[in-house]
Amino acid sequence: MTMNTPSSAPRRRRLRDGALLGGLLLLVLAGLGGLAANTGWAESRAQIARLGAVQIGVLLALSLGNYVLRALRWHLLARRLGLPVGIGQSFLHFLGGFAMSVTPGRVGELVRMRWIRRETGWPVERSAPLVLMDRAGDLMAMALILGVAVSLAAGGVAGALPVTALALGAAIVATRPRLLAALITAAYRATGTMPRLFGRARIAARSLSRFTHGPTLAFVLALGLAGWAAEGAAFHLLLGWMGTEVGLAKAIAVFIFATLAGGLTGAPGGLGGAEAAMVALLSLEGVPLEVSVPATAIIRLTTLWFAILIGLAAFPLAERCSIAREMGKL
């Protein structure tokens, strides 16, 4: 009989998660490839050929601007929470976490908190409010951008209102300590399980009170708005370079809606859901598949997968620095 060793369970989980991610990615690639094949590979290649090194560089620069602004927001939130970290540490934590963007269960957030614990001694329940507020900042910014873009876009974007409402609702809950703590308590009473986990969650929720004053919320919102608007503008430029003009507001609305919709599916990195939503919305706007499919593939490469590439570059350094600081060698 085969005995399970302590190290075998994590190994099996990694293999399972890797197989899940790989299968999901293959399905996304197969779907996009099938659409491109149905419209004719020659047409899709012709659209991609319109882009040169300068255009790709602009797309990557706008995405990088988003990551830098959000990393700065992470640092400001960390300092507001009282974490004794420098701006270099914060940037390394935030960018290094991107390496786990497409892993199940938001592992990137756990990795960031592990680095913080090593370097500062803060337990997870004390650093968790930083993660919650960072997520809430994204939701607030994206919901507001989507709402404004839809109001400015002629004809609107189908289904945008409920997604905007959900994003704003989640952001409001995440930034109201008493409300969040009450919801956690209600969830515990309903389930009657995992008292230790729910207790830590309540502690984390109450710590959100540090972020509820005006200047902090204003900075969080401003940096998030600028960052996500930059990626939405990149999508607009991309469509224009590929010979399709849908308007700045509508292009931003499509990009933000697809990103939020992908997140609501629960798939790692929104894989599958974001791509499907983007192609579908562009088709509703009259954009032919020979443009929408390669445009979707390219914008995902220059946003999600570019972030993962940055994360993979930063991850080993963040890991080494956290271990060195834990051992007092840095």
Side-chain angles (χ1 to χ4, degrees):
M1 183 174 63
T2 303
M3 297 295 291
N4 289 328
T5 64
S7 61
S8 64
R11 189 181 303 114
R12 286 198 304 271
R13 283 196 297 270
R14 286 195 298 269
L15 290 173
R16 180 197 62 200
D17 291 346
L20 175 63
L21 176 60
L24 188 58
L25 181 56
L26 285 175
L27 286 175
V28 172
L29 292 175
L32 292 175
L35 287 172
N38 288 332
T39 59
W41 285 107
E43 290 84 352
S44 296
R45 285 197 300 269
Q47 297 301 327
I48 295 173
R50 291 172 177 261
L51 304 178
V54 173
Q55 285 87 351
I56 295 298
V58 170
L59 297 178
L60 294 176
L62 287 169
S63 291
L64 183 61
N66 179 24
Y67 309 145
V68 169
L69 289 171
R70 288 163 58 202
L72 178 59
R73 181 186 66 190
W74 177 273
H75 177 65
L76 293 175
L77 289 173
R79 296 300 298 169
R80 178 65 186 171
L81 188 61
L83 276 168
V85 292
I87 190 167
Q89 286 175 272
S90 293
F91 268 62
L92 202 55
H93 295 164
F94 185 78
L95 297 177
F98 281 155
M100 303 294 180
S101 295
V102 291
T103 53
R106 305 295 304 181
V107 176
E109 314 292 11
L110 297 177
V111 168
R112 288 169 180 149
M113 288 189 286
R114 185 185 69 178
W115 289 332
I116 289 172
R117 180 179 55 78
R118 284 177 178 173
E119 297 178 16
T120 67
W122 281 39
V124 169
E125 57 264 29
R126 289 189 68 188
S127 60
L130 171 59
V131 173
L132 290 173
M133 193 62 199
D134 181 66
R135 292 289 92 200
D138 280 339
L139 289 172
M140 284 190 292
M142 295 172 80
L144 286 175
I145 290 172
L146 182 57
V148 171
V150 168
S151 67
L152 294 176
V157 175
L161 183 59
V163 172
T164 302
L166 281 172
L168 274 176
I172 290 170
V173 169
T175 54
R176 296 294 183 274
R178 292 183 180 178
L179 176 58
L180 185 57
L183 290 174
I184 292 170
T185 299
Y188 169 66
R189 288 174 178 171
T191 60
T193 59
M194 299 182 290
R196 189 173 180 181
L197 177 62
F198 279 106
R200 289 181 174 180
R202 279 194 295 268
I203 292 172
R206 295 189 186 106
S207 299
L208 285 170
S209 59
R210 290 179 175 267
F211 304 127
T212 55
H213 79 308
T216 297
L217 290 176
F219 273 118
V220 166
L221 187 57
L223 292 172
L225 287 171
W228 286 107
E231 287 198 348
F235 190 49
H236 169 67
L237 289 174
L238 173 61
L239 290 171
W241 290 331
M242 299 181 82
T244 298
E245 181 56 56
V246 298
L248 176 62
K250 189 157 288 186
I252 292 176
V254 168
F255 176 80
I256 297 296
F257 177 92
T259 303
L260 285 171
L264 290 175
T265 65
L271 282 175
E275 290 83 2
M278 203 170 290
V279 171
L281 289 172
L282 289 175
S283 296
L284 289 175
E285 297 303 321
V287 178
L289 287 176
E290 59 264 26
V291 174
S292 64
V293 172
T296 296
I298 290 169
I299 200 63
R300 292 291 276 172
L301 284 171
T302 57
T303 54
L304 173 65
W305 295 102
F306 179 47
I308 292 171
L309 184 63
I310 292 173
L312 291 173
F315 188 94
L317 180 58
E319 186 73 7
R320 287 197 298 270
C321 287
S322 69
I323 293 173
R325 286 193 174 92
E326 185 180 33
M327 298 177 68
K329 296 181 179 180
L330 189 64

